[in-house]
Amino acid sequence: MASAVSEAAPRPIEGAGENGWRGSGAGYLFLTPWLLGFFGLTLGPALISLYLSFTDFDLLSTPRWVGAANYVRIATSDPKFVAAMHVTFLYVALAVPLKLAFALMVAVILNKGIRGLPLYRAMFYLPSLIGASVAIAVLWRQLFSGDGLLNRVLALIGIQGPSWISDPDTSLYTLVALSIWQFGSPMIIFLAGLRQIPKDVYEAAEIDGASRSQQFWRITLPLLTPVVFFNGVVQTIEAFKAFTPAFIISGGTGGPIDSTLFYTLYLYQEAFAYFRMGYASALAWILVVIIAAFTALAFLSSRYWVHYDG
């Protein structure tokens, strides 16, 4: 009996125990830089920020616990928060679909097999690399100022253009145009997705008499929905995080009349202009929740409109 129990007992895994840890030491050693970065630069500051969101903290004195007072004030008596939410949601609603549509249009054109495709691809991708930089934001401000290049071109045909970035009715749309101009990154991904669609599908559609428009809406777009989904999620998150263009073009004020007061810019003002770190931390966590909610909604809805192979 004892012999049977002994035979049924699980055998120790070869290499486990002290020898196993010793053998895995090299792996953990290589993981150490990432672990230090994750705990020291991501998880640690995030948890500290969560704690500070429940305090009154101005960087100079000890944080004072105030409970949910920061969140209550944001929800009930902060008109700047309402203005920032309105500007940010309008920007996301305009910039993301227009940017994706423009990127898809260019990708479809480039997918026709034109000559010099690598050159065009690099040229179109370049704005995505430098579009969020301070230099481009400054250039954008010069283009759309009252005496900027756009108004000078319009003057040649007898049109007196407004000061686009000083007019609250048009200032936000200049930032939307800047976002669309940075279409290179989603365009490259769309182009890669288009290259994966089998050619024989289009050949069969042509034999059946399908027009180019019907091929796009009934073949290209349905087969490209996983790429549309990916680009949509990424670009939505990036739009919610947009900061540099609004900061440079408005001079850090979010003006005129809060028309370019992005959520991230308002958060920056609270943290580094008024040194209300606790309040800014609460704003940051609300932004995290908003982005997480949009991402979760996208994943939940994907089962109804994203078509994967098989």
Side-chain angles (χ1 to χ4, degrees), residues 123-139:
M123 289 174 57
F124 291 144
Y125 186 67
L126 188 60
S128 290
L129 297 177
I130 61 175
S133 66
V134 174
I136 294 300
V138 171
L139 173 64

Side-chain angles (χ1 to χ4, degrees), residues 28-46:
Y28 287 107
L29 184 62
F30 281 109
L31 278 175
T32 300
W34 182 87
L35 291 173
L36 290 175
F38 176 71
F39 287 105
L41 301 177
T42 303
L43 184 60

Side-chain angles (χ1 to χ4, degrees), residues 34-268:
W34 182 87
L35 291 173
L36 290 175
F38 176 71
F39 287 105
L41 301 177
T42 303
L43 184 60
L47 294 177
I48 293 174
S49 170
L50 181 60
Y51 164 74
L52 291 177
S53 70
F54 295 99
T55 67
D56 181 10
F57 180 48
D58 61 0
L59 283 179
L60 300 177
S61 56
T62 304
R64 182 173 60 87
W65 182 264
V66 295
N70 289 330
Y71 292 97
V72 172
R73 180 191 160 196
I74 291 172
T76 59
S77 59
D78 188 350
K80 283 275 190 179
F81 170 76
V82 177
M85 290 286 285
H86 175 262
V87 170
T88 303
F89 273 86
L90 181 58
Y91 174 78
V92 173
L94 292 175
V96 174
L98 290 176
K99 184 177 184 178
L100 292 183
F102 192 69
L104 178 58
M105 182 187 70
V106 176
V108 170
I109 294 173
L110 293 181
N111 194 44
K112 299 298 182 183
I114 62 176
R115 298 179 61 182
L117 176 61
L119 176 62
Y120 288 115
R121 194 165 49 198
M123 289 174 57
F124 291 144
Y125 186 67
L126 188 60
S128 290
L129 297 177
I130 61 175
S133 66
V134 174
I136 294 300
V138 171
L139 173 64
W140 216 253
R141 187 172 60 186
Q142 297 301 322
L143 286 176
F144 289 97
S145 62
D147 58 349
L149 179 62
L150 178 60
N151 280 346
R152 293 184 182 183
V153 172
L154 292 176
L156 296 176
I157 56 177
I159 298 176
Q160 182 64 39
S163 179
W164 303 90
I165 60 174
S166 301
D167 188 338
D169 293 330
T170 58
S171 55
L172 181 62
Y173 300 109
T174 64
L175 299 178
V176 173
L178 175 58
S179 175
I180 297 172
W181 182 64
Q182 303 166 35
F183 67 93
S185 178
M187 183 271 294
I188 291 293
I189 299 174
F190 276 135
L191 189 57
L194 289 171
R195 293 297 179 90
Q196 300 303 315
I197 299 177
K199 299 294 183 185
D200 54 354
V201 179
Y202 292 104
E203 293 172 357
E206 288 181 359
I207 293 174
D208 291 339
S211 64
R212 291 295 178 89
S213 174
Q214 289 173 324
Q215 291 179 27
F216 176 79
W217 290 108
R218 298 185 180 182
I219 297 175
T220 303
L221 201 54
L223 293 179
L224 209 59
T225 48
V227 182
V228 175
F229 170 71
F230 175 80
N231 272 336
V233 171
V234 171
Q235 295 303 320
T236 300
I237 294 174
E238 290 297 321
F240 273 114
K241 292 164 48 184
F243 170 77
T244 304
F247 180 83
I248 297 299
I249 289 179
S250 70
T253 64
I257 319 178
D258 293 339
S259 59
T260 59
L261 185 64
F262 283 8
Y263 193 94
T264 51
L265 180 56
Y266 178 49
L267 194 158
Y268 171 85

